[in-house]
Structure formats: structure tokens, C-alpha cells
Amino acid sequence: MDFESKADSLLKLMTLEEKVGQMCLYTSDWDVTGPSINRGYEELIRAGRVGAIFNAYTTEYVRSLQKIAVEETRLGIPLLFGYDVIHGHRTIFPIPLGQSASWDTASIRKSEQIAAAEAMSQGINWVFTPMVDIARDPRWGRVSEGSGEDTWLGSIISATRVKGLQHREHDYPSLLACVKHFAAYGAAQAGRDYHTVDMSERSLREWYLPPYKSAIDAGVATLMTSFNEISGVPSTANQWLLTDLLRNEWKFKGFVVSDYTAIEEIIKHGVAKDLAEAGRLALKAGVDMDMQDEAYQHHLAGLVQKGDVNEADIDRSVKRILIAKYKLGLFDDPYLYCNPERERATLLTAEHRSFARKFVSQSCVLLKNENQTLPLPASIKSVALIGPLGDSKVDMLGNWSAAGRAEECVTLLEGLGNNLPESTSIKYVKGCEIDSEKNDNIDDAVRLAASSDYVILALGEGGYMSGEASSRSEIGLPGLQEELALAVLKTGKPVAVVLFNGRPLSIPKLDSLAPAILVTWFGGTEAGNGIADVLTGKYNPSGKLTMTFPLSVGQIPVFYNEKSTGRPIDPSQPDEKYKSKYLDIPNAPLYPFGYGLSYTTFEYSPIAINDTVFREGEVIIASVDIKNTGKHDGEEIVQLYVRDLIGDVTRPLKELKGFQKIMLTKGQATKVTFTLTLDELAYYHQDMHYGWDPGEFELFIGTSSDDTRKVTFTVR
Ligand code: GLC
């Protein structure tokens, strides 16, 4: 019997109360004594009125809760156990924004496979990831959880994460991934979390929806609604979004869960008068499971009895949830995920740590490196490590660090100690706090710098300064860190700045004075070792920004694929007044999308293209010869962009349409070839049809969105 028939048979045995129970998701707690469950929720589980629990793990604890559901309820329906495994479970990897800067889909997929294996080994069978929200505003703290500003790259990473999490080599155990937050949560007004989202359907479909669709096409099992409204309609009550688009147009078959109390928040949005109305609107829109706000638990049965809700709508939701449980094998063996031997053998293994270390290095982005300040010269005898991020374990975790443990993280100080020669002395002075005006010991830091061969400045944000409910109105270095940096730089010693950040930072002054800057995000468990491998030259940095670093917060939103406007600046007359520009700063950001240096250099030949005119069914083939012209072997992320010069609507100045990550030993050259079909030139027209047009196009290949070779071609 297939899963659907099994679900149908079980559904027939269920009371209305038991059906509604499957649609309810509650949190477990975790306190100093370990995991615990609210008494009320435990009683609800025992009454068969809970479908899933989240934030619960370890095989022992999960088994204890599963036992109640399976052995003490009338129908013995097993629970799902969900958790926010956003960038690793116990082995913590770089935050997703950092991972995306590696452009390394193989590593991204492997990190999700490891995360899934570790999570499942602790009883978890549902993870609230991937977060695929496109974001162009770094004031928003949750940019740390996503893959940056580009829709095309974000869509590829979205599918990669789903495949890493769900596509197992064997039948059991498997895992339910959950694409979130549907939809367009990253477009919050002013970068303020939970704020209003208002845009045309064209912008929604062109720039924000594709990564969710990509996850669905990759087979994602579940989807989570977003807190925000879209153009007046809260996502959790949005029937166009959750039914017309998600079910009827995209054919999504999994189940939809609301975000934490997002159903109740329909009241705060001013679209429901009370929790019953909010629950009715959410069910009608297409929300199958209610996370935490008890709207469904308290009101759905009553709404059915009053005739305000059809029981058939409840049956539809319950069936989706039951099918997911059958697919996981939970009805065959509810304790499938509760194997303590597997738990012990899977968590934080040497192999997981080793991969994490490599992934940290791959995620680092070298913004600046004057006078070959980096890698650290082998001859240095004394290194001064200065700054509040130099020896902080907890900040290495970033945010949403699941079962990660700060004490298991390697700090930069430890990483340098592990990887520099015994003979090199390493001294550390904090210099100041991360985010305090208290002048701690800048003078001591300056003294140490002056007496050392080389200085590493460990600066940036605290891990707590990004993630949910962590928007910042200014995105510079917090506290006294810039003062500390300027004082140290005045010593004239060779200085490398190592940034720890959950978002792009606006650091023009530091950038103008520091000879070298390495962005390291929050690298997780192996942060210090992975960064040290880059600083010592063991790993040649290859990362490229997936989100623009603004020159000033006043430029936001600033992103590479912007439109021309009717009055673009004419580069030959930059001072012309009546152009789309500012009086006080340039339009160009501090560092653009796709930017990142290497310790070596790469030379690009002009682009060779197979033709200049293309017709339906024909393929554009463009290639460049690239040579490693420097002194280090290194990887290069070669990027392909396109511009549609004349459209039915305005089109971006550039759109990423391809990339290839290549390794070239010093002196080695290779040809990199891209193919492009006409369908990849499609866009939403004024009448909202999606397709490509004949016309003139520009094609770019290069090392960054602002550093490319160009050719033109025509489509007839
Ligand atoms: C949070 C987040 C969401 C997370 C959920 C469960 O509020 O918005 O990303 O998955 O609640 O923790």
C-alpha cells in the first residue's frame, strides 16, 4: 500500500481532535539541566493532540517523548522532531552567507549531508532549513542565514542544500528539509526585521521567488511561511501565495508550517480580530501546521462545528503531515532515529572537523592585500594578535548554532598557535570590547603592536549582532574598534585585518588605511584553524562576495544587478549634475558582488563567442583563456553575466548566469567555456508572461561583477 493510501486509512480512524492534534507543533525547552518539556505539552502529547515537537534532541530525550506518543495514545501516531540546523548541527560550519562566498556547491552540499547525519543521529527528522530569502539590505540581521543578493546563485544554493539534506544514499533514515521563509522576508522595509514588504508581482517573481521554487523542484519536503506581509497580505494568511501559487502553479506536495506564532501575528497585522479568525484565515490560505501559537489547537474544532471551516480542509492538511511521517519510516520504526551508538559515532568526528576547517578557508574573502602583506611571512618572529574577536569562542558560532558548543570552537588565537612555527611568539591583547565605548586597553595594544614584527587585528561584530531580531541601523565596526585599529595602524607595522561579521560591513576608513583585509564571517567550530590556514598561505583564499559591501549605509539598498535609470551617470562626464547620484558619496559600493582577491593573479583573455547572431534553439558558447600569472597556486571563480539592452520592461545592468570554480597552478593556463540557451534570457514582461525577446545583448566574463571582459550578440 502506498503512503497516500496508508494516510487515507489512518485518517478514517481519527477523531477531529486527533486530526487537529497532528497540525500542532510545540517547542521543547533546554535549561542548565538539559532538555525538558512543558508539562502542558506533555499532556497534549499523551492526549494525541500534538503532531511535532521542535528544539528537542538527543536520542534519550527524543525516545522518551516519542514513547509517550506511540505507546500512550489511542492511535500511536509518531511525532516529528524539528530543529533549526542552519549551518551544522554539532559540528558548526561557517554561517550560510559565508558558505555562499565559497561558491563551492560541492562543499555546501557536503556540509548539509554532515549536518543531516549529525542531526538525525540525535533523533531529529525535520530541519528548518534552507533559509533562501534573497536580501539586498545588510542592515537586516538575517542576511547571515542566506546566500546573499543574487537570485540565480541563491536558487542554485537552495537546491544544493535540499539535495544535501534530503537525498540520502540509502532508504532510511531520511530527513525533512523546510524551505523558508515564504516569501520575500528579506525585503523588509529599511532592513528592519519583521517589517513591511511591498513590491510588484513582477519584482516578487523576478527577484525573490525563484530560490523557493528551486527548493521545491529539488524535492523539499516542507515549507515555512514568513512573518511579513507582502503588499498588504500577511504571508501566513495569503491564499494567493500558499494555494494559488504554491499548490496550483508550482504543484508543491509537501506540508506548510507557519513560522513561530505567525498565525497569531495575523491579529497584530490588523487582518484578524482574534485567534479563531487568524486560525481560520491561515487554514484557508493553506497553512497545514501551526507552530507554537495554539490557534489550531484551541479553535479549529470549534470552527468546524460552527461551519466556518470544512473538515475536508483539515483532512487535506493532516494527510500531508501523515504522508511525511510515513516517508520517514516512522510508522515502521518510531525509534529509528534514537540509536545511541549512532549518536556517539556521528557527532563532531575528526572527519567532520577536518571538512569544517577546509570550508572555513573556502568561505574567507580577501578584500585587500597591498604589498603582499598576506600570507604571513615565514620569517616573522613575533605576532601581535589584537582585537575583541581574537580569542572569543562563543562568537565563532555566529547565530542559529543548533547543538554547537562554544567550548568546542577554535579561536583565531588558538588557530595561530596550532599553525605558526613554535619559534614564532604570539601575544594577544583584546584592546577593547566588541561593542562598548569603554576604553579598555588600546594603549597596551599599541605597545604590543610596536614591539612585534607583525600585527593581526581581529575585529568585527559579535555573533549575537546578526540573525533574527538583530537589525543594525549602522553597519560599521561597533564600539571603539575603529579607534583601536587606527591607533595600531599608526605604528607603521605590517597589519592584516581579520573581520568577523554576520553581514556586509561599511568600513571605508579602515579600508583606506589597512593594507590587508580578510573577511571570515563566523566560521564555526573550526574557525581559528581555517582562518590560520589562509593567513599562513596553506590555503590560498578564493572566496567572492555574494552580497555587496556598501560604502555607506546611505547607499542601501545597493546591489550589483541594479537598473540603468533614465539618468545614469555618464562616466565621461562624472560631474554632470542631473544624473542619478548623490551629492556627497559615489554610487559605487565599497566592494561589489562577486569580488574577492587571491594571493596569486589571473589574466583573462578577450572573450571568444561562437557567433554574433542567434535564433530559437541555438546555443551561445563563450569562452576565455585564463592564466595564473602569480606566485601561488590558486582557485578562481570565473563569473558569467548578461545584459539585455532593450526589454519590454527595464532590465538590470548585469545578471549572473553562470560561474565556474577552477584551480590553476602558478603559470598554468586553461580555457573556460560557458554555454547559454535563449531560455536563460527570459524575464517577466509587462503582461507578466515569462520569456526571452529578440534584441541586442552584452555578455560579460570576469573575476568580479565590476571587473569583466565584454562581447555583444544579437538574438533574432
Ligand atoms: C524563528 C525563525 C524561524 C525558525 C523558527 C523556529 O522565529 O523565524 O526561522 O525556524 O522560529 O525556531
Side-chain angles (χ1 to χ4, degrees):
M1 194 192 289
D2 65 34
F3 296 141
E4 188 157 349
S5 314
K6 286 179 178 177
D8 282 332
S9 309
L10 179 52
L11 204 55
K12 289 191 181 88
L13 305 176
M14 295 170 77
T15 65
L16 178 57
E17 294 292 347
E18 288 165 337
K19 292 176 184 176
V20 171
Q22 288 301 305
M23 301 166 74
C24 297
L25 164 66
Y26 298 112
T27 184
S28 170
D29 298 316
W30 199 281
D31 54 35
V32 286
T33 60
S36 65
I37 190 84
N38 165 304
R39 292 285 312 144
Y41 297 153
E42 182 176 334
E43 287 321 305
L44 284 172
I45 295 173
R46 191 162 280 112
R49 300 187 56 193
V50 176
I53 291 288
F54 67 113
N55 295 327
Y57 61 91
T58 74
T59 51
E60 182 188 2
Y61 180 56
V62 166
R63 177 181 289 273
S64 70
L65 296 182
Q66 192 68 295
K67 196 166 182 303
I68 299 171
V70 170
E71 297 175 20
E72 298 184 40
T73 64
R74 192 175 75 88
L75 292 171
I77 300 173
L79 296 167
L80 290 175
F81 288 90
Y83 199 33
D84 290 287
V85 181
I86 308 301
H87 50 109
H89 175 69
R90 175 72 173 272
T91 306
I92 302 300
F93 302 112
I95 55 170
L97 185 59
Q99 292 185 25
S100 69
S102 74
W103 298 54
D104 195 306
T105 51
S107 288
I108 291 169
R109 180 166 180 157
K110 182 172 172 71
S111 78
E112 295 294 20
Q113 285 169 330
I114 292 172
E118 290 194 350
M120 287 188 289
S121 81
Q122 291 215 286
I124 293 159
N125 43 46
W126 183 24
V127 288
F128 303 143
T129 194
M131 186 279 212
V132 303
D133 304 325
I134 294 297
R136 296 165 156 174
D137 189 332
R139 291 172 295 182
W140 189 51
R142 303 198 77 167
V143 298
S144 60
E145 301 170 52
S147 298
E149 69 193 41
D150 184 70
T151 305
W152 184 88
L153 182 63
S155 300
I156 285 184
I157 292 175
S158 168
T160 300
R161 290 195 185 285
V162 171
K163 289 172 186 159
L165 289 163
Q166 285 190 183
H167 297 205
R168 326 288 320 145
E169 288 68 41
H170 40 75
D171 292 340
Y172 293 125
S174 184
L175 190 74
L176 305 177
C178 182
V179 64
K180 67 186 186 182
H181 305 82
F182 196 58
Y185 180 23
Q189 199 170 288
R192 205 177 82 200
D193 206 355
Y194 316 120
H195 209 336
T196 303
V197 170
D198 199 341
M199 65 176 76
S200 65
E201 184 181 337
R202 179 179 302 108
S203 293
L204 185 64
R205 285 181 177 273
E206 194 78 61
W207 307 115
Y208 292 90
L209 290 180
Y212 307 104
K213 177 70 165 54
S214 176
I216 289 166
D217 293 346
V220 74
T222 69
L223 174 142
M224 186 184 294
T225 66
S226 61
F227 292 120
N228 56 285
E229 68 164 79
I230 301 175
S231 310
V233 184
S235 299
T236 309
N238 191 327
Q239 188 161 357
W240 174 81
L241 189 70
L242 301 180
T243 297
D244 301 349
L245 177 71
L246 185 63
R247 300 288 181 187
N248 301 339
E249 188 177 322
W250 289 1
K251 310 297 181 205
F252 177 61
K253 298 282 182 258
F255 72 80
V256 172
V257 61
S258 58
D259 199 343
Y260 196 101
T261 68
I263 293 177
E264 183 178 13
E265 290 168 21
I266 298 170
I267 302 168
K268 295 275 190 349
H269 276 289
V271 170
K273 65 179 185 310
D274 56 26
L275 196 57
E277 175 64 0
R280 186 187 69 78
L281 289 173
L283 183 72
K284 182 164 169 281
V287 177
D288 300 309
M289 188 181 280
D290 171 2
M291 182 191 293
Q292 197 58 27
D293 56 28
E294 302 184 3
Y296 284 8
Q297 177 202 325
H298 291 311
H299 298 288
L300 274 196
L303 287 164
V304 171
Q305 272 122 30
K306 278 169 56 187
D308 291 342
V309 157
N310 299 324
E311 186 160 354
D313 290 346
I314 290 175
D315 290 351
R316 178 198 59 199
S317 295
V318 176
K319 186 171 169 180
R320 288 170 181 151
I321 294 163
L322 294 177
I323 288 171
K325 294 184 176 181
Y326 276 112
K327 282 183 178 172
L328 288 175
L330 284 173
F331 284 96
D332 302 330
D333 175 1
Y335 305 107
L336 183 65
Y337 297 82
C338 302
N339 175 335
E341 288 71 45
R342 185 171 63 212
E343 184 174 26
R344 275 189 292 279
T346 307
L347 295 176
L348 203 62
T349 63
E351 189 243 334
H352 292 175
R353 272 194 177 270
S354 166
F355 168 72
R357 174 174 183 157
K358 185 186 96 173
F359 204 10
V360 170
S361 302
Q362 290 180 319
S363 302
C364 293
V365 181
L366 183 62
L367 296 183
K368 204 176 168 191
N369 191 25
E370 288 169 347
N371 318 317
Q372 294 177 358
T373 303
L374 285 173
L376 297 176
S379 59
I380 48 172
K381 290 285 171 275
S382 58
V383 173
L385 176 61
I386 294 168
L389 275 301
D391 195 28
S392 164
K393 288 182 176 290
V394 69
D395 291 305
M396 297 304 101
L397 288 172
N399 47 79
W400 291 113
S401 54
R405 296 178 183 174
E407 63 270 23
E408 293 167 349
C409 288
V410 179
T411 67
L412 180 52
L413 177 59
E414 291 164 337
L416 291 170
N418 297 340
N419 294 284
L420 287 178
E422 285 288 315
S423 57
T424 306
S425 102
I426 306 164
K427 290 200 176 84
Y428 173 59
V429 166
K430 198 175 190 180
C432 67
E433 293 306 320
I434 290 175
D435 186 17
S436 153
E437 298 304 318
K438 213 157 45 79
N439 179 342
D440 267 10
N441 51 356
I442 291 182
D443 296 344
D444 295 350
V446 171
R447 269 190 291 277
L448 175 63
S451 63
S452 304
D453 292 346
Y454 196 101
V455 181
I456 295 172
L457 274 171
L459 307 172
E461 298 179 310
Y464 62 93
M465 297 175 84
S466 53
E468 185 173 357
S470 306
S471 296
R472 291 181 66 202
S473 68
E474 292 297 340
I475 53 170
L477 286 175
L480 292 174
Q481 293 187 54
E482 186 167 276
E483 187 175 336
L484 169 68
L486 300 182
V488 167
L489 284 161
K490 277 199 185 108
T491 64
K493 292 288 180 174
V495 174
V497 172
V498 177
L499 276 186
F500 295 82
N501 50 306
R503 56 165 56 80
L505 297 179
S506 169
I507 47 168
K509 196 160 189 184
L510 179 69
D511 180 63
S512 67
L513 295 171
I517 300 176
L518 182 73
V519 174
T520 70
W521 317 103
F522 294 110
T525 311
E526 282 290 319
N529 283 330
I531 296 167
D533 288 343
V534 174
L535 296 175
T536 58
K538 188 175 158 196
Y539 182 88
N540 181 359
S542 57
K544 302 273 186 188
L545 297 179
T546 56
M547 194 166 181
T548 301
F549 272 48
L551 178 72
S552 147
V553 76
Q555 290 180 322
I556 294 172
V558 58
F559 46 90
Y560 88 95
N561 47 349
E562 62 178 12
K563 307 292 189 70
S564 160
T565 79
R567 293 198 171 189
I569 292 174
D570 173 352
S572 64
Q573 303 183 63
D575 298 330
E576 239 186 311
K577 178 167 179 57
Y578 298 97
K579 297 296 180 186
S580 180
K581 63 180 188 178
Y582 302 97
L583 288 176
D584 52 350
I585 55 172
N587 289 0
L590 187 61
Y591 289 103
F593 175 88
Y595 177 91
L597 300 178
S598 167
Y599 292 148
T600 192
T601 49
F602 298 100
E603 193 175 273
Y604 283 64
S605 75
I607 299 171
I609 188 166
N610 59 329
D611 205 333
T612 54
V613 179
F614 298 90
R615 289 174 177 77
E616 174 101 39
E618 295 180 340
V619 174
I620 299 143
I621 301 172
S623 59
V624 288
D625 295 316
I626 301 177
K627 182 173 183 180
N628 179 338
T629 50
K631 303 191 184 74
H632 295 264
D633 299 350
E635 292 163 294
E636 169 71 335
I637 296 166
V638 187
Q639 300 151 50
L640 168 75
Y641 297 89
V642 170
R643 179 183 182 182
D644 184 348
L645 289 170
I646 310 285
D648 177 56
V649 295
T650 56
R651 310 286 295 115
L653 294 173
K654 272 197 183 82
E655 282 183 275
L656 182 70
K657 291 293 180 186
F659 72 90
Q660 291 183 39
K661 187 170 181 178
I662 60 171
M663 162 55 93
L664 289 176
T665 55
K666 48 183 184 286
Q668 186 187 3
T670 190
K671 183 182 289 295
V672 175
T673 300
F674 293 96
T675 58
L676 199 62
T677 65
L678 300 190
D679 286 343
E680 291 175 88
L681 305 176
Y683 66 95
Y684 287 94
H685 289 60
Q686 288 186 50
D687 63 2
M688 290 305 285
H689 90 265
Y690 188 71
W692 54 271
D693 303 326
E696 304 303 313
F697 292 80
E698 291 174 335
L699 181 144
F700 310 84
I701 296 177
T703 186
S704 166
S705 61
D706 73 340
D707 183 357
T708 57
R709 298 277 189 165
K710 181 176 85 173
V711 290
T712 59
F713 64 90
T714 304
V715 173
R716 289 259 190 308

